[in-house]
Amino acid sequence: MGAATPPDAAVFSTFLCNRHALSDKQCGRGFYFELMRQPVIGKRFHDKNGKLLHANAWLHRPRSVVFSSTNDSSEIRPTFIDEEDSNPSERREFQETRDDELLETQIALAGAQAREQAIEKERDILLEKLAQAEAKKHEYEAAIMHEKELAIAELEAAKDLFHKNLQESVQEKFKLESKLILAKQDAVELAVQVEKLAENAFQQATSHILEDAQMRVSAAETSAADATYQIEEQIRSATEGTILSIVDQSKSAIAKALSVAEAADDRANKSVAAYADDFKLIDEISSIKFQNVKLQQEVTDLETQLLVSRNEINKLKLELEHSRQQAATYEIQARDAEKELLEIQESSRKLALKQEEELKSLLDKIKKDAVERRKAASKAFKAELETLEAAVEAAKETAHAKDEAYLRRCEALQRSLKASESALKMWRKRAELAEALLSKQAPLGERDEDATYVVNGGRVDLLMDENSKKLKLLTDGPRREIPEWMLRRIRSICPRFPPRKTNLSEAKLSQFKSLELPKHDEVWSIALEKPKEGDTLVEHVMEKEIIEKKRKALERALQRKTIQWQRTAEETKLEPGTGTGREIVFQGFNWESWRRKWYLELAPKAADLSRSGITAVWFPPPTESVAPQGYMPSDLYNLNSAYGSEEELKYCIEEMRNQDLLTLGDVVLNHRCAQKQSSNGVWNIFGGKLAWGPEAIVCDDPNFQGRGNPSSGEIFHAAPNIDHSQDFVRRDIKGWLNWLRNDIGFDGWRLDFARGFSGAYVKEYIEASNPAFSIGEYWDSLAYEGGNLCYNQDAHRQRIVNWINATGGTSSAFDVTTKGILHSALHNQYWRLIDPQGKPTGVMGWWASRAVTFLENHDTGSTQGHWPFPRDKLMQGYAYILTHPGTPVIFYDHFYDFGIRDILTELIEARRRGGIHCRSALKIFHANNDGYVAKVGETLVMKLGHIDWNPSKEVDLDGSWQKFVDKGSEYQLWLRQ
């Protein structure tokens, strides 16, 4: 019987309610029930052919509805059976058999469909896993090949690096030999003056060169060994990791595939046993078995691929062994190279001994010449002293004569004052007579002699003829401004006039009229007005000051001659990279100094700085600047800055020179601010005397559209970066530096932002301007790991040394490495102050004569505070840099504002007594958590920290030592008696 659709929605609602009321158990087994006939009113139905059936005819035919359901299907299909087509008994039998058959077939069909779907899902899962396994296999193969290529490339790179280091060591050997020859020549020149200094310098130079060569060779060997070891470790770890991961993953994938295949086989066998009569199910099961066979074949393929990968891994192991053999050969080559280097060192030592013998013979000759030269020099010096003494006496006599002339002029002025007073009395009498005649009053003799006459406010009017100061003041016009210091001196020598004789109460009651004579303020304001050329008083003052300056200059020259004769040649020789070698630099400003008239405030401190032992003063940037601190310069020739005028700057420099202090100008050569905009609105057109255009700006400056060449350093983004490769730029900068040197009076330079351009240009500028001392600011970050300072800072100090090398050694540089290490070392980590070669860990340990040590400056401290030094460790920090080689710098704030001036003066005195200079020898005895002990030179020993130590406990320390400074656990100093 065919299935029909129920005619009414009420039937379906009843069916749904009954369906939801069934239990899960009944739904799982399949069920059926008979739906009772229900009347439907007013409904029409159509059959399959579209004929209209009456509702009543359909309703009166008894029908049964059979519903079936399975676990996997949510649909319940009703089947309508007519009850009038057969007999009741036949119909019942037929109905029972039909129902049984339908129930069994539906149950079997539903189970087969469910198993079919499960098998399909499992098959899809297996196929996906198989595809993933194949993809992973390809990835692993590619990774293994990539690691193999990387390992081979790293081996080749290590081999090239080793050959390169070997070549560099050979080249360095030749360079060291040439440096050795130059050092010996320098030693010969120094021996002309003092034999002992020449021998010491030669020994230091040879020992330094040999130690440097050994250090470079050992560094090359260690770098080659580290490189080979790292490559082997990377190859081993990569191959072992990839092999283990491939084996584990392949095993897991094979196990999963086998388990899934076995489960599918079991399910297929069960389905075959349960439904052997159903041909369709048999076909489906056979197809599933076929798929299982395919899966097993694919599993076998995976196993074969695993074997292939194992073979490849074995090949990689063989290649690894081969690479290890190559590394061993490289080690043998390195040992051979080391032997060759040792032979070369031995030969160089023999050559050095021969040359030393030759030097000794030369020194013997030089001694005789030196004795003769000393005698001749002493005679010449005595003659020069006599001439200087005669010049000083002549200057004193001229000054005395000028003083007497000045006194005579003052006396003449007083006499003229008295004459004018007598003339005034006569004019008063005449005026009184005239007024008495006009007013018909009593004659003058009968009047009260105490009556008050108000004439020019009661003060006498002097010299009212054509030569008077009144007429000069009114006719000559305005005068130029003079500094405050000159006004004070003019006021100090102005004549004192008699006090005013005025009684205001009597003057108001007086019957007489005031004479219309010039007022006192108009006549005598000449003393407060601006000086004019031609004024007798001003000419006398200036002439006296010139004579006084000449006298002081002669006295200073005489003093310098006597001091310089007592000094050695090393102390008087000026080089731009080292100065005299005994410089102590004072930074004479901070970040807020521009807020005051700084030049006038700094000038009076010159004598105090000189007495304290300072030898050089670092001035702020002198040029007009967009930023008031001076580090954004615009017109380089305009020296009227926020710190003061050009005249005040010259006056301050002159005061420093009067105290024998070197003056270092802070020059900004890397960048310059433009005064005009281009047609594109970019500020890249410069004004003033150096009127440059965009061609003076580097082309890789991202902000200012420069048309020059690429920069030779790093970019400073706040202002246009100057292209120093241009000839006209270098020519103009040389002219400007020579103007600062010769016309303004600076002795040397501090070079701002030295990272922005090559040191080769610095060398050219220094050779052109010939400064007495030069310092470069090469500041970049130290190496940190996990927020902690690394012990090895060789890369950082190497960058600074490379810049000094680029300048040809003509400039020193700030030892930023030492500053950064001291931040951590002084907190009970004193072991940071010694490197593996036993030397200091900063630039001081590699090139002490070019290292300028410091603790603070206007950037790191002051109100900026970018990198402030620990306040509680300042005394220890200064005890370290002021007693060690290099050139120390003292910050303005520490000297005048922090209350440690006496401590700094004491440390400077210890440096002077110990004879410490920028090249002094250094031997470190102890450097651990407890403290630091070192001997500097031959006469000073210092200790930092709370380590229990004194000179008597050191076996290698000879001589008797006396304690000079004792600050307990902070620091202690001893001097050799």
Side-chain angles (χ1 to χ4, degrees), residues 483-501:
E484 184 67 24
W485 58 271
M486 186 177 288
L487 282 177
R488 289 196 297 268
R489 294 181 181 178
I490 292 175
R491 290 169 186 161
S492 64
I493 62 172
C494 285
R496 304 300 182 192
F497 295 102
R500 182 184 308 195
K501 299 179 181 179

Side-chain angles (χ1 to χ4, degrees), residues 18 39 92 96 303 451 614 698 827 912:
N18 293 329
R92 192 176 301 109
E96 289 176 359
E303 290 177 351
I614 303 294
V698 296
H827 290 86
R912 187 189 67 80

Side-chain angles (χ1 to χ4, degrees), residues 108 159 283 328 404 437 469 631 663 767 789 792 799 893 931 952:
K159 185 167 86 171
D283 294 333
E404 290 181 352
L437 292 173
K469 294 182 178 64
Y631 291 100
T663 55
E767 290 175 350
L789 183 71
N792 188 350
R799 291 193 291 271
D893 294 359
S952 62

Side-chain angles (χ1 to χ4, degrees), residues 310-322:
R310 286 178 180 173
N311 292 330
E312 291 177 353
I313 289 166
N314 292 328
K315 290 180 182 179
L316 286 174
K317 287 183 178 179
L318 293 174
E319 292 177 357
L320 179 61
E321 291 295 331
H322 182 64

Side-chain angles (χ1 to χ4, degrees), residues 151 154-155 158 226-236:
E154 288 176 353
L155 283 173
D226 292 337
T228 54
Y229 177 76
Q230 289 175 1
I231 290 168
E232 291 177 359
E233 288 294 322
Q234 289 177 0
I235 293 171
R236 185 179 60 79

